[in-house]
């Protein structure tokens, strides 16, 4: 199955980015909540050889927002943060765009061979629903746990001798 990741140009999307006021929408992402989400990433990585990486972004880059949607941005960040660069190609990026109220999962080819895009989409939709109900941190922690469970199913390992290939720290792009 070939997945078309191209977004249609959108003036409305561009305007949403221009008018977005981060201070009004990012209050939930405190230093403490970032620490708890970092711990959730660490827990999600236990017991398997995969890597989980979380990026939260306020809005799309203004200069790219007319042409680029959240899926393209997630793929760009997957490359930029080298989530693809794991020994067994088992990196999974969870990308949250606060302005667009969207969440994307980009999985490397090692895990994509086992998990269909509909599974990832269902996980995203469930988390977005929780976020819409003002349970952002809880929904993201639950999503990270689910990603960890999927990785354990295909890449189970009691001890990880290679260690942590990617940082567990949540990346927040303002």
């Amino acid at each position: 199955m070939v997945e078309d990741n191209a977004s249609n140009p959108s003036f409305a999307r561009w305007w949403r980015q221009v008018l977005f006021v981060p201070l009004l929408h990012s209050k939930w992402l405190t230093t403490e909540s970032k620490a708890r989400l970092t711990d959730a990433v660490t827990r999600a990585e236990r017991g398997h050889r995969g890597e989980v990486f979380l990026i939260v972004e306020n809005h799309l880059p203004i200069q790219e927002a007319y042409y680029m949607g959240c899926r393209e941005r997630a793929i760009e960040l997957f490359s930029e943060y080298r989530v693809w660069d794991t020994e067994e190609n088992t990196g999974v990026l969870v990308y949250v765009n606060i302005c667009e109220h969207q969440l994307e999962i980009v999985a490397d080819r090692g895990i994509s061979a086992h998990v269909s895009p509909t599974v990832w989409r269902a996980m995203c939709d469930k988390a977005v629903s929780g976020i819409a109900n003002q349970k952002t941190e809880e929904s993201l922690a639950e999503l990270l746990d689910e990603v960890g469970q999927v990785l354990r199913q295909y890449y189970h390992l009691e001890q990880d001798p290679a260690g942590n290939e990617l940082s567990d720290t949540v990346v927040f792009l303002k």
Side-chain angles (χ1 to χ4, degrees):
M1 178 174 106
V2 175
E3 194 174 328
D4 182 17
N5 291 320
S7 282
N8 294 326
S10 172
F11 195 60
R13 180 177 53 233
W14 181 81
W15 265 113
R16 281 192 302 274
Q17 310 315 303
V18 169
L19 298 175
F20 182 76
V21 179
L23 187 60
L24 298 176
H25 301 281
S26 300
K27 292 178 189 175
W28 66 272
L29 195 59
T30 63
T31 303
E32 294 81 17
S33 66
K34 283 188 228 176
R36 287 190 296 269
L37 286 171
T38 296
D39 288 342
V41 171
T42 302
R43 285 190 308 276
E45 288 189 347
R46 288 191 186 128
H48 59 79
R49 296 182 309 269
E51 289 292 324
V52 181
F53 199 79
L54 174 62
I55 296 178
V56 178
E57 185 169 46
N58 272 329
H59 56 81
L60 297 168
I62 303 294
Q63 65 276 17
E64 298 173 12
Y66 178 74
Y67 294 103
M68 179 187 289
C70 290
R71 182 71 185 168
E72 295 85 5
R73 179 66 174 157
I75 291 169
E76 179 181 272
L77 292 170
F78 182 82
S79 175
E80 183 178 323
Y81 283 88
R82 300 178 64 93
V83 180
W84 56 268
D85 194 18
T86 60
E87 187 174 340
E88 295 185 51
N89 300 312
T90 56
V92 177
L93 170 70
V94 176
Y95 170 76
V96 181
N97 187 289
I98 297 171
C99 177
E100 291 295 304
H101 306 285
Q102 286 192 352
L103 195 145
E104 295 289 339
I105 294 177
V106 180
D108 205 348
R109 63 187 177 272
I111 191 66
S112 289
H114 301 290
V115 182
S116 88
T118 56
V119 171
W120 297 125
R121 179 53 36 212
M123 291 167 67
C124 287
D125 292 345
K126 180 180 172 189
V128 167
S129 175
I131 292 168
N133 290 323
Q134 306 300 315
K135 296 180 180 177
T136 305
E137 184 182 334
E138 298 88 347
S139 298
L140 288 176
E142 188 175 312
L143 173 65
L144 292 167
D145 181 56
E146 290 174 4
V147 169
Q149 289 175 29
V150 168
L151 287 165
R152 273 182 222 96
Q153 185 177 354
Y154 296 103
Y155 292 97
H156 180 75
L157 185 67
E158 290 299 324
Q159 295 289 332
D160 186 1
N164 206 4
E165 295 180 71
L166 299 173
S167 171
D168 293 350
T169 305
V170 175
V171 173
F172 179 54
L173 304 175
K174 298 177 183 189

